[in-house]
Amino acid sequence: MQRTFILLKPDCVQRRLMGRVISRFEEKGLNIVAMKMLRITPELAKQHYAEHVEKSWYGALEAFITGGPVVAAIVEGLDAIRVVRNMLGATSGLDAPAGTIRGDFSGSRQMNLVHGSDGPEAAEREMALYFEESEICGYQPTITPWLRASDES
Ligand code: CDP
Ligand code: MG
């Protein structure tokens, strides 16, 4: 089992797509184990996007990501980091294939609706940035025997 961090960005909230996006993760069989709405401060944005702070487009990204409420969540599942990234599609909604979240709902490189951690180190760092250990509510869904075979783990 693996956990990854997702963030429904301000465009997702403003466009009333939160429910549809969360439904896609639920329908896939992923387990949501933490979730909260918050407003990202410029300080948090710089920590979250530390790898991009020096980029020419960082200022615009910070204005976007701090420009409205977001929803942070932790989802759990087999290979969850890779599975979620595949569900998001390429960074730009113009490149992401149809059938992915960005491919289906976004026509923008910046306003691409959802963030997902890009690897195990990023997942650990981002989960710790947004959540206390006590805010994570792990549980075993009763439907688990109907989501995968018992030897798939
Ligand atoms: O989110 P992802 O890992 O796919 O992309 P990234 O290259 O790590 O960039 C982080 C975020 O910055 C993207 O999801 C976009 O919202 C934004 N971005 C942007 O505003 N302009 C760019 N030229 C590239 C990315
Ligand atoms: Mg990235």
Side-chain angles (χ1 to χ4, degrees), residues 4 27 32 42 57 71 75 92 94 105 116 120 122 146:
T4 189
E27 287 163 354
I32 296 171
W57 42 267
V71 173
V75 302
S92 171
L94 299 174
F105 296 120
W146 295 105

Side-chain angles (χ1 to χ4, degrees), residues 9 49 51-52 57 61 85 91 102 109-110 112:
K9 300 184 184 186
Y49 284 121
E51 60 173 330
H52 297 312
W57 42 267
L61 172 60
R85 290 283 290 190
T91 300
R102 290 167 173 176
R109 187 174 61 187
Q110 179 189 75
N112 56 10

